[in-house]
Amino acid sequence: MAKQTASKEKTPKQKASNRKPINLALQGGGSHGAFAWGVLDRLLEADCFDIEGIVGTSAGAMNAAVLAHGLAVGGPATARAELRRFWEGVSETTRYSMLKPSWLDRMIKPGSMEFSPGYQMMDALTRMLSPYQLNPSNINPLRDVLASVVKCEDLRGCTSVKLHICATNVMSGKIRVFQNQDVSIDAVLASACLPFLFQAVEVDGEHYWDGGYMGNPPIYPLIYDCAARDVLIVQINPIRIEELPTTAHAILDRINTLSFNSSLMREMRAIHFVTKLIDNGFNDEGRLKRMLIHTIDAEEQLRGFGASSKLNAEMEFLERLYTLGRERADAFLTDHFDKVGVESSTDITEKFL
């Protein structure tokens, strides 16, 4: 509570400046999306940005849809309340789930479930059987949670916030970016469809898996569809790790992280290239757009939790990630708010290249 009080004391200084337009790019990462919840909660509390566009993938897509809906129907205070209601609903779905940390997990590595019998059994089953066999009724508890918070008709008619939800077309391998006018609960679930847990989601006759395979998240919709030059990336998947993965779980987790970060790093390379062209005096007769990149992350903490923690939706763990997100967002506002609209606060070369 003391930390949140300290954060509020900084808000008047931030509000004294003109509100700044910004776009948000929200990564996916299962339960680690609660870190982004904390980031968004602090930014909304500060109320110093005009959010023009939001792009999200997987858990980031859910955060994006809830955030956009809250802003559309009631503004920052409503968005904060709806984000909390959503994540509390996510936690409620696991009340009777076998995916819970064991006492040993709680002692050795809080948040992870590597010693959980339920997690180990599920992990083994998903390596042998597909979700079409394990879950033939295609039950997804997140559907009801999402539908209880987000009314898609409000998003389709919204012009104040531009929403972009990313999914991967299973058959063509192409990226699909759903926008306000075609957002649905199915579209958001498609963006978060991990193929070893859920059946592919059908939207408009096409089948989709998690958007992270093609863009986690894609930045280009914000470049082409939004006037604001600033993009704040809420990064969940760590780029760097400190130890060589040697266990099966650690290797698989690193493979997924590399895959889910690859498209973002390619786009950062392209943005860096265009920025250098502009700096050298070439802007293609004004057609090149200088983008200003900012990031909020907690690489050291999030990489320490391990792959199993991304399926841990206990409220105690979610609140821990939420608090971490608020702290990192508060540090960003203190250290980098003045740079928004002026220059990038993230060194693309150092962080991504």
Side-chain angles (χ1 to χ4, degrees):
M1 183 63 69
K3 292 181 180 177
Q4 292 194 17
T5 302
S7 297
K8 290 180 181 179
E9 291 174 353
K10 297 170 185 174
T11 302
K13 178 182 176 182
Q14 290 149 8
K15 283 187 177 180
S17 303
N18 293 330
R19 291 169 59 88
K20 298 186 177 186
I22 201 168
N23 297 310
L24 300 177
L26 309 179
Q27 274 198 330
S31 297
H32 291 189
F35 169 78
W37 164 34
V39 170
L40 297 174
D41 187 75
R42 179 66 187 104
L43 297 181
L44 292 167
E45 179 185 64
D47 196 19
C48 52
F49 294 120
D50 286 321
I51 300 172
E52 181 184 4
I54 312 169
V55 62
T57 294
S58 197
M62 295 190 175
N63 276 327
V66 175
L67 170 62
H69 183 266
L71 290 175
V73 301
T78 300
R80 291 182 69 193
E82 291 193 350
L83 281 164
R84 172 164 288 281
R85 187 154 64 95
F86 170 74
W87 282 101
E88 288 177 347
V90 169
S91 180
E92 184 64 25
T93 65
T94 66
R95 179 183 291 271
Y96 304 107
S97 170
M98 64 180 183
L99 292 177
K100 290 183 179 296
S102 67
W103 63 269
L104 193 56
D105 289 308
R106 299 181 196 278
M107 288 181 56
I108 298 177
K109 202 173 186 180
S112 294
M113 299 191 292
E114 294 172 7
F115 298 101
S116 164
Y119 173 77
Q120 293 295 338
M121 182 173 70
M122 187 217 67
D123 183 60
L125 286 174
T126 55
R127 293 174 188 271
M128 296 183 293
L129 301 172
S130 81
Y132 295 86
Q133 297 165 303
L134 290 173
N135 185 13
S137 299
N138 199 22
I139 297 171
N140 187 338
L142 292 177
R143 177 181 294 277
D144 290 339
V145 177
L146 194 61
S148 70
V149 179
V150 176
K151 308 305 177 187
C152 292
E153 57 270 21
D154 295 327
L155 291 175
R156 297 189 192 107
C158 175
T159 57
S160 58
V161 181
K162 299 173 182 177
L163 177 62
H164 308 82
I165 300 297
C166 171
T168 301
N169 189 305
V170 179
M171 307 304 289
S172 70
K174 294 180 180 180
I175 189 172
R176 169 78 185 270
V177 179
F178 298 91
Q179 297 179 292
N180 292 63
Q181 64 272 17
D182 51 15
V183 164
S184 63
I185 297 299
D186 281 336
V188 181
L189 292 176
S191 181
C193 179
L194 292 171
F196 60 89
L197 288 179
F198 302 110
Q199 297 179 24
V201 179
E202 184 176 354
V203 182
D204 300 330
E206 299 286 346
H207 292 84
Y208 296 93
W209 281 342
D210 196 294
Y213 296 109
M214 298 302 295
N216 192 25
I219 305 299
Y220 74 86
L222 302 177
I223 298 175
Y224 295 127
D225 196 39
C226 299
R229 297 185 303 156
D230 291 84
V231 175
L232 173 57
I233 302 169
V234 182
Q235 182 192 330
I236 292 177
N237 295 291
I239 294 175
R240 298 179 178 86
I241 59 174
E242 296 178 336
E243 296 181 3
L244 179 70
T246 56
T247 66
H249 285 299
I251 291 170
L252 182 61
D253 184 41
R254 187 54 179 164
I255 290 172
N256 287 334
T257 300
L258 291 172
S259 173
F260 277 27
N261 277 336
S262 62
S263 60
L264 176 63
M265 296 179 76
R266 286 195 299 271
E267 286 193 279
M268 289 297 105
R269 185 178 297 276
I271 290 171
H272 179 64
F273 176 72
V274 170
T275 301
K276 288 182 66 177
L277 287 177
I278 297 173
D279 287 343
N280 290 330
F282 176 78
N283 69 350
D284 195 22
E285 299 180 349
R287 286 189 286 265
L288 297 185
K289 183 178 181 181
R290 180 189 295 275
M291 301 303 296
L292 306 179
I293 303 300
H294 315 276
T295 53
I296 296 178
D297 64 58
E299 286 211 0
E300 182 178 352
Q301 289 84 353
L302 293 182
R303 70 187 172 210
F305 287 125
S308 63
S309 67
K310 294 179 180 179
L311 295 176
N312 180 358
E314 285 195 326
M315 200 61 208
E316 180 181 359
F317 181 55
L318 299 182
E319 289 279 9
R320 178 177 179 178
L321 294 172
Y322 162 84
T323 300
L324 178 61
R326 280 187 55 90
E327 291 171 352
R328 290 307 169 95
D330 191 66
F332 173 82
L333 292 172
T334 301
D335 298 338
H336 301 302
F337 178 76
D338 291 340
K339 294 181 180 179
V340 176
V342 179
E343 61 179 322
S344 294
S345 61
T346 295
D347 186 329
I348 294 178
T349 301
E350 180 181 353
K351 187 172 183 63
F352 295 103
L353 307 185

